[in-house]
Amino acid sequence: MASKLLKVHPSDNVIVALRDLETNSIVEYDGAHYPLPYGVMAKHKFVTEDIDTGGAIIMYGVLVGRATQPIKKGEPITTFNLRHDAHDYSTALRQPYSYTQPDVSKWANRTFQGYHRADGRVGTYNYWLVLPLVFCENRNVLIMKDAFERELGYAQTDLYRRHVQAMLQAYQTGDQSQLKKIETFVDQQERTGKADRPFPNVDGIKFLTHEGGCGGTRQDANTLCALFAAYAVHPNVAGITVLSLGCQNSELKTLEDEIKKRDPEFNKPFFAFEHQKGTEYSLMAGAIKETFNGLTQINQFERSAAPLSKLSVGLKCGGSDGFSGISANPVLGQLSDILVGLGGQTLLAEFPELNGVEQELLNRCSTEEKAAKFEKLMRDYAGKAEAVGSAFAFNPSPGNIKDGLITDAIKSAGAAKKGGNAFIADVLNYTERATVPGLHLVCTPGNDVEATTGQTAAGANIILFTTGLGTPTGNPICPVAKVATNTKLAERMPDVIDFDCGPVVDGTESIEENADNLLEYVIKAASGELTKAQQLGQDDFIPWKRGVSL
């Protein structure tokens, strides 16, 4: 890929610019020459032939849009001359599918250092979880968070607080010129290390807050309890504290039933406190005491070797650009195929970003039953969006479009590359848990945090998140590693990006080589090397109410 150009699939009638291409230049690809009447920015595409109004634009070998006006050979596709379109799909149209699994022999004996749980799963981190069944308890959760994190060494740095203190002191001198002399900073110089913590084997205490639990529909309340149950049984969670008001729709019994449904032998420390049974002080004192005692218990767990088959890796993209489907997403796809070959799990989410590649995914489903479930989930989701005047076609954000993702089908075809080529072992509705090895489709929105929240509920013990524009997104209990599609982003946002797939665009590494390097990084992250999101304390959590969210 050292060339300035790339044709992704032999049947495509667009070519991707890997570098900025000048107006009135003539470029050559695979023996053919293309005059460019307009400049084409890197990540954008130009057509390889004259396209009439209504003509199909093909990329990644699939229909991604139709021309709204004639497009001459060499002209770029834009939101002005192209509209979204995609082929329909059906379980009845399923075709035989096969693929060649990559050689995984060199990874067969590799291990990561994880926490082995009673149910046979392995955690990449050892967390205590504190959650409120209703938003009324958010304040108390945050008070607990401040107390525990500051006293036990899990709090974020006081760097910004000291910055304000320095400005306050300068202001109080009465000399305004002193304020101007205070220098700003661009790097954080200090982190709290494990050596400062009384519980070295407890990787953190995670405190969730949300805006639900009271009012709303019973479905929303039940879904919230199911989500919390999925987090409670997650292998990265060793113990749970629950705060409840007592009158909310999301009842404690519902949560307990959902936990038993997912793990009938559930035996983690579990403490629940109801506010309406006494004063706030009695609630908080009891919750803090039992949580502290619980920490002494889970501090006894230690990391030990686990095979890579115990990894459950979420495959996510956000802040995507025109390189996403060319570098980072195919790299994740290669890594996914390797892990599937080793007996691990991978989880591909974001159903609005599978729009246009549904038939390929239906073909790859291991059974008719799985295919039918996927089709129903997709059609139900799309129908709800259209019913409120939206559609999957509205999915690309302004940032996506600016960086080359002109239609949702282009975005989706590139996003689906994260799932590699393996057969789809299972299809999961939101909050359902992955229980078999292989590639899974997980029903979530494309919204970054709603998606990572759902992937974690499915059981991901690490999430790989590709981005071309940059995003700090993280998760409270599942490490989220940011994978850059291009080196410029990795260099511009080093405090956010964990791994660079730019060498694929530059032509210095193949997809296979880059994927091998990424898997080496995953082993380190799964063994306790903090991702950038973890270092920044980026604990994002947004439950999906099953409404229309793209």
Side-chain angles (χ1 to χ4, degrees), residues 96-104 333-342 360 364 419-423 512:
Y97 178 79
S98 63
Y99 85 107
T100 302
Q101 179 180 295
D103 181 6
V104 299
Q334 173 70 11
L335 183 145
S336 175
D337 286 346
I338 292 172
L339 286 178
V340 169
L342 291 169
E360 176 195 343
R364 291 167 59 183
N421 300 294
F423 284 97
E512 292 76 15

Side-chain angles (χ1 to χ4, degrees), residues 6-12 14-16 29 45 59-61 325-326 417:
L6 175 68
K7 191 175 185 180
V8 179
H9 190 277
S11 64
D12 290 355
V14 293
I15 288 177
V16 184
Y29 186 81
K45 300 91 184 165
M59 187 175 177
Y60 298 103
I326 294 169
K417 295 298 180 183

Side-chain angles (χ1 to χ4, degrees), residues 160-281:
Y160 299 117
R161 184 180 177 186
R162 292 200 300 272
H163 193 49
V164 174
Q165 289 174 345
M167 291 188 290
L168 176 61
Q169 291 172 1
Y171 172 76
Q172 289 175 332
T173 65
D175 184 357
Q176 297 297 312
S177 65
Q178 295 297 319
L179 279 172
K180 298 179 181 180
K181 295 180 181 179
I182 296 177
E183 295 184 0
T184 58
F185 47 85
V186 295
D187 294 309
Q188 183 173 337
Q189 301 297 327
E190 58 183 77
R191 302 284 184 195
T192 300
K194 280 190 176 184
D196 302 319
R197 298 175 181 171
F199 301 117
N201 294 328
V202 178
D203 294 306
I205 313 162
K206 297 300 180 176
F207 301 84
L208 305 186
T209 59
H210 60 91
E211 304 305 318
C214 176
T217 67
R218 290 291 178 175
Q219 180 189 31
D220 286 346
N222 292 339
T223 299
L224 182 64
C225 288
L227 179 64
F228 283 150
Y231 275 53
V233 304
H234 195 283
N236 288 3
V237 171
I240 306 96
T241 299
V242 178
L243 300 187
S244 169
L245 180 59
C247 58
Q248 70 277 347
N249 285 343
S250 52
E251 298 177 280
L252 179 60
K253 185 180 185 307
T254 306
L255 171 62
E256 292 172 338
D257 289 344
E258 290 288 344
I259 289 175
K260 290 296 184 182
K261 185 188 302 181
R262 287 162 175 75
D263 184 2
E265 305 301 322
F266 183 79
N267 64 351
K268 297 177 182 178
F270 180 93
F271 308 123
F273 300 88
E274 186 174 304
H275 200 157
Q276 291 177 340
K277 289 184 176 179
T279 67
E280 175 190 309
Y281 302 106

Side-chain angles (χ1 to χ4, degrees), residues 1 6 8 16-18 43 45 59-60 321-331 414 417 504-505 511:
M1 290 185 60
L6 175 68
V8 179
V16 184
L18 302 180
K43 308 179 186 180
K45 300 91 184 165
M59 187 175 177
Y60 298 103
D321 70 350
F323 287 157
S324 293
I326 294 169
S327 61
N329 290 352
V331 166
K417 295 298 180 183
V504 174
V505 178
I511 287 173

Side-chain angles (χ1 to χ4, degrees), residues 130-135 137-138 141 208-210 224 228 242-243:
V130 180
L131 57 90
L133 281 180
V134 62
F135 58 73
E137 295 302 319
N138 283 349
V141 167
L208 305 186
T209 59
H210 60 91
L224 182 64
F228 283 150
V242 178
L243 300 187

Side-chain angles (χ1 to χ4, degrees), residues 404-447:
L405 301 178
I406 303 301
T407 71
D408 187 53
I410 293 177
K411 185 178 181 182
S412 294
K417 295 298 180 183
K418 301 191 300 292
N421 300 294
F423 284 97
I424 295 165
D426 207 353
V427 177
L428 306 177
N429 204 345
Y430 185 68
T431 75
E432 288 185 332
R433 169 184 157 184
T435 59
V436 298
L439 172 65
H440 296 65
L441 301 180
V442 184
C443 185
T444 75
N447 174 291

Side-chain angles (χ1 to χ4, degrees), residues 271-532:
F271 308 123
F273 300 88
E274 186 174 304
H275 200 157
Q276 291 177 340
K277 289 184 176 179
T279 67
E280 175 190 309
Y281 302 106
S282 63
L283 170 87
M284 295 293 284
I288 289 172
K289 178 181 178 181
E290 293 302 331
T291 299
F292 189 92
N293 288 335
L295 294 175
T296 67
Q297 296 179 50
I298 71 169
N299 189 52
Q300 299 174 29
F301 293 117
E302 294 183 355
R303 291 183 182 271
S304 59
L308 300 189
S309 60
K310 294 297 183 179
L311 288 174
S312 182
V313 178
L315 310 169
K316 173 75 177 81
C317 59
S320 300
D321 70 350
F323 287 157
S324 293
I326 294 169
S327 61
N329 290 352
V331 166
L332 260 63
Q334 173 70 11
L335 183 145
S336 175
D337 286 346
I338 292 172
L339 286 178
V340 169
L342 291 169
Q345 291 177 343
T346 56
L347 310 171
L348 179 64
E350 305 179 275
F351 274 26
E353 299 190 9
L354 301 178
N355 182 20
V357 293
E358 296 96 337
Q359 192 60 53
E360 176 195 343
L361 297 175
L362 287 171
N363 295 343
R364 291 167 59 183
C365 286
S366 58
T367 67
E368 287 287 329
E369 178 186 15
K370 304 301 181 187
K373 183 176 181 180
F374 174 57
E375 181 178 0
K376 185 177 188 310
L377 286 171
M378 284 295 291
R379 292 197 184 280
D380 287 350
Y381 198 158
K384 289 179 180 178
E386 292 167 4
V388 296
S390 187
F392 286 171
F394 299 165
N395 188 26
S397 70
N400 294 151
I401 294 169
K402 178 182 176 183
D403 275 65
L405 301 178
I406 303 301
T407 71
D408 187 53
I410 293 177
K411 185 178 181 182
S412 294
K417 295 298 180 183
K418 301 191 300 292
N421 300 294
F423 284 97
I424 295 165
D426 207 353
V427 177
L428 306 177
N429 204 345
Y430 185 68
T431 75
E432 288 185 332
R433 169 184 157 184
T435 59
V436 298
L439 172 65
H440 296 65
L441 301 180
V442 184
C443 185
T444 75
N447 174 291
D448 288 348
V449 179
E450 288 176 335
T452 51
T453 298
Q455 285 179 311
T456 302
N461 54 18
I462 185 169
I463 294 173
L464 297 178
F465 190 124
T466 70
T467 180
L469 307 178
T471 170
T473 302
N475 181 268
I477 66 169
C478 180
V480 179
K482 241 53 62 52
V483 180
T485 70
N486 61 92
T487 300
K488 286 184 178 179
L489 171 62
E491 293 174 345
R492 187 173 68 250
M493 300 180 72
D495 58 330
V496 166
I497 300 302
D498 297 279
F499 186 86
D500 182 19
C501 291
V504 174
V505 178
D506 298 338
T508 56
E509 287 182 7
S510 67
I511 287 173
E512 292 76 15
E513 290 170 335
N514 199 247
D516 282 353
N517 293 335
L518 179 57
L519 185 50
E520 292 287 359
Y521 169 79
V522 167
I523 293 172
K524 293 178 183 177
S527 301
E529 181 176 302
L530 296 180
T531 66
K532 299 298 176 61

